[in-house]
Amino acid sequence: MKKYLVVFIFIVASTSQAQSTTGSEQFWNKLKAYCGQSFEGQITAGATANDPFSGKKLLMHVKSCEENRIRIPFYVGDDKSRTWVLTLNNDVTTLKHDHRLEDGTPDKVTQYGGTSSNAGLADIQFFPADQETCDLIGYASTNVWWITVDEKSFTYNLKRIGSDRIFSVSFDTTKPVKTPAAPWGWAE
């Protein structure tokens, strides 16, 4: 009888602890598990013949993991201008796009993105365009970005509501690759 009681108490304690961790915290911890690793990706939706991403090697590097900020450079061939910046504050996640010129200075179109409207789920977070994005890039005011993370992949997605614009790139997180050189604007 005592043996079963101990097992029951363990199950209740484990379930209680899992329920106290929010979707955004679980998502954050999944991302942090990839810190320092790089992965190759492929476009899974939205590729066109004249798309600047088509035919190029796509890499992501989970380069910097701080307590409330994760920075993920996204390489498109030799173009090292893009970094996804995720922040977690008060159980809400924000995605920003930090774009740099080759000399490291900010691009004129940078820091656009959005903030999740709730804690989301452990494997997906949505980011509708924020006011800064609307002011900077008017046509992107209906953008919704989302990131999914599961045991096999990290997928970055964009949908422009009211249009046919959709873009998805998926990275195989089961096969880390060699870490690329620093992105533009980063000192090593």
Side-chain angles (χ1 to χ4, degrees), residues 25-188:
E25 291 170 326
Q26 292 172 48
F27 179 84
W28 195 257
N29 291 332
K30 284 181 179 184
L31 285 180
K32 284 177 79 172
Y34 295 124
C35 200
Q37 297 181 62
S38 299
F39 306 99
E40 192 165 345
Q42 64 181 12
I43 297 172
T44 55
T48 61
N50 59 355
D51 190 310
F53 292 73
S54 291
K56 303 229 173 105
K57 186 174 186 175
L58 305 176
L59 292 174
M60 66 175 268
H61 177 201
V62 186
K63 187 168 180 62
S64 171
C65 296
E66 300 165 35
E67 183 177 344
N68 292 324
R69 181 172 63 174
I70 296 174
R71 293 183 286 174
I72 306 171
F74 172 44
Y75 303 80
V76 178
D78 293 331
D79 184 338
K80 303 177 193 176
S81 65
R82 300 167 180 84
T83 299
W84 298 315
V85 180
L86 293 137
T87 55
L88 179 64
N89 290 308
N90 298 319
D91 211 31
V92 173
T93 309
T94 297
L95 167 68
K96 289 289 187 171
H97 298 77
D98 183 349
H99 286 246
R100 301 286 169 151
L101 301 175
E102 199 165 353
D103 67 2
T105 59
D107 192 295
K108 65 181 179 180
V109 178
T110 189
Q111 301 306 321
Y112 60 90
T115 300
S116 61
S117 60
N118 55 50
L121 299 173
D123 58 353
I124 189 167
Q125 294 284 311
F126 285 91
F127 311 98
D130 59 18
Q131 190 60 51
E132 185 175 7
T133 300
C134 297
D135 295 343
L136 183 64
I137 319 167
Y139 61 85
S141 63
T142 60
N143 280 7
V144 177
W145 295 271
W146 68 99
I147 293 174
T148 61
V149 180
D150 60 32
E151 57 281 341
K152 295 181 179 180
S153 65
F154 170 105
T155 304
Y156 166 92
N157 308 274
L158 162 66
K159 170 68 178 150
R160 184 161 298 142
I161 306 300
S163 79
D164 292 336
R165 176 77 168 123
I166 188 164
F167 176 79
S168 293
V169 59
S170 185
F171 299 87
D172 183 347
T173 55
T174 66
K175 298 176 184 172
V177 297
K178 182 180 175 189
T179 298
W184 300 341
W186 288 65
E188 292 286 25

Side-chain angles (χ1 to χ4, degrees), residues 4-23:
Y4 297 114
L5 181 59
V6 171
V7 171
F8 176 71
I9 290 170
F10 175 75
I11 291 170
V12 170
S14 296
T15 303
S16 169
Q17 184 180 15
Q19 290 174 346
S20 67
T21 305
T22 65

